[in-house]
Amino acid sequence: MSALLLVDAGNTRIKWALTSTEASLGAWTRDGAVMHADAAQLAAEWAGIAAPAAGAGAAMRVIVANVAGAAIRDTIAALLARCLPGAAVEWFASVPQRAGVANGYRNPGQLGCDRFAAAIGAHALAPGKAVIVANCGTATTIDALTADGRFLGGMILPGLGLMASALARNTAQLPQIAQDGKLPAGFADNTDDAILSGILSAQAGAIERAFALHRAAEVLVSGGASAYVAAALALPLRRIDNIVMIGLHAAARAG
């Protein structure tokens, strides 16, 4: 059995999962997440997986999707070299075609590797379906995938937290609100609810527009804010825990 470490370095957190290429899609042996500032904590986690992987008599394989910049890449590379020496490390990148997904970006390499991984994950989870993939994190990405696996492109907008922070920072009298409040029914009768209604409606409206434009069968919603955004949608949908990691797993299983 080939041990496989998947790492998704997003804009805010570094998420990871231990699995194998033979395991069912999304079946993790162990997983975790840390904020960027706490990346050093991964040393203890990853050092702990080296012995069992080696004891199984299989080489460790690592796939990393990083959209957090060069400094985080260097940090992860150093941690891997220290904790998992000899592991085969792949820095996942967007290419014209992989794991049944054809990258329709004008310049395929310009597509964020997290969006490409999410598309691969969506195609593996919903084969033969035209879907919208909404990944709701620091930024919200909304992408269209055809039933036969063609990535058409999509939308990028600020996530819930960024929208709320932008209002609080750039206006004189609007407060900073939490993004995890309950969406009010109808029109809000106080400022906090009005802000929450506005930012959730903006997210949901963009997803609904993409769904209608693509004539999709389903929306796959993922990311840290997915629970709040999904609750505002009146569409056929599935919430997926870290669809980027699912996509990395599917890419590894495809070879």
Side-chain angles (χ1 to χ4, degrees), residues 11-251:
N11 291 303
T12 304
R13 297 187 300 158
I14 302 170
K15 292 144 278 185
W16 63 275
L18 180 65
T19 183
S20 73
T21 50
E22 293 81 9
S24 299
L25 196 64
W28 315 138
T29 304
R30 289 173 57 189
D31 59 42
V34 298
M35 303 297 286
H36 288 177
D38 299 321
Q41 295 177 7
L42 293 171
E45 297 280 4
W46 293 353
I49 68 176
M60 172 68 72
R61 181 180 176 191
V62 182
I63 303 182
V64 185
N66 174 43
V67 296
I72 291 294
R73 177 181 171 125
D74 290 346
T75 296
I76 292 172
L79 285 165
L80 291 172
R82 180 171 131 211
C83 301
L84 299 169
V89 180
E90 175 191 348
W91 295 91
F92 185 81
S94 295
V95 293
Q97 188 156 350
R98 185 164 183 179
V101 173
N103 183 346
Y105 238 44
R106 187 180 306 171
N107 177 356
Q110 190 182 48
L111 175 64
C113 65
D114 56 339
R115 293 171 67 197
F116 189 50
I120 291 172
H123 187 58
L125 291 171
K129 284 186 178 182
V131 296
I132 292 296
V133 187
N135 205 2
C136 307
T138 305
T140 295
T141 59
I142 304 166
D143 294 313
L145 190 70
T146 66
D148 60 356
R150 287 180 295 120
F151 177 90
L152 301 181
M155 310 171 184
I156 303 174
L157 61 154
L160 284 180
L162 282 179
M163 283 188 170
S165 295
L167 280 173
R169 186 173 59 250
N170 295 299
T171 57
Q173 298 184 49
L174 294 184
Q176 176 71 56
I177 66 158
Q179 67 182 35
D180 57 354
K182 183 179 179 182
L183 182 66
F187 294 104
D189 60 3
N190 64 85
T191 300
D192 282 11
D193 280 357
I195 294 172
L196 180 62
S197 179
I199 63 177
L200 279 170
S201 295
Q203 303 279 319
I207 295 168
E208 289 166 357
R209 175 177 170 80
F211 183 88
L213 182 66
H214 189 40
R215 298 180 181 176
E218 186 178 21
V219 180
L220 302 184
V221 187
S222 191
S226 61
Y228 317 123
V229 175
L233 292 169
L235 297 171
L237 62 83
R238 270 188 283 172
R239 278 189 60 213
I240 308 297
D241 185 22
N242 204 330
I243 198 168
V244 173
M245 206 91 80
I246 296 284
L248 294 179
H249 196 190

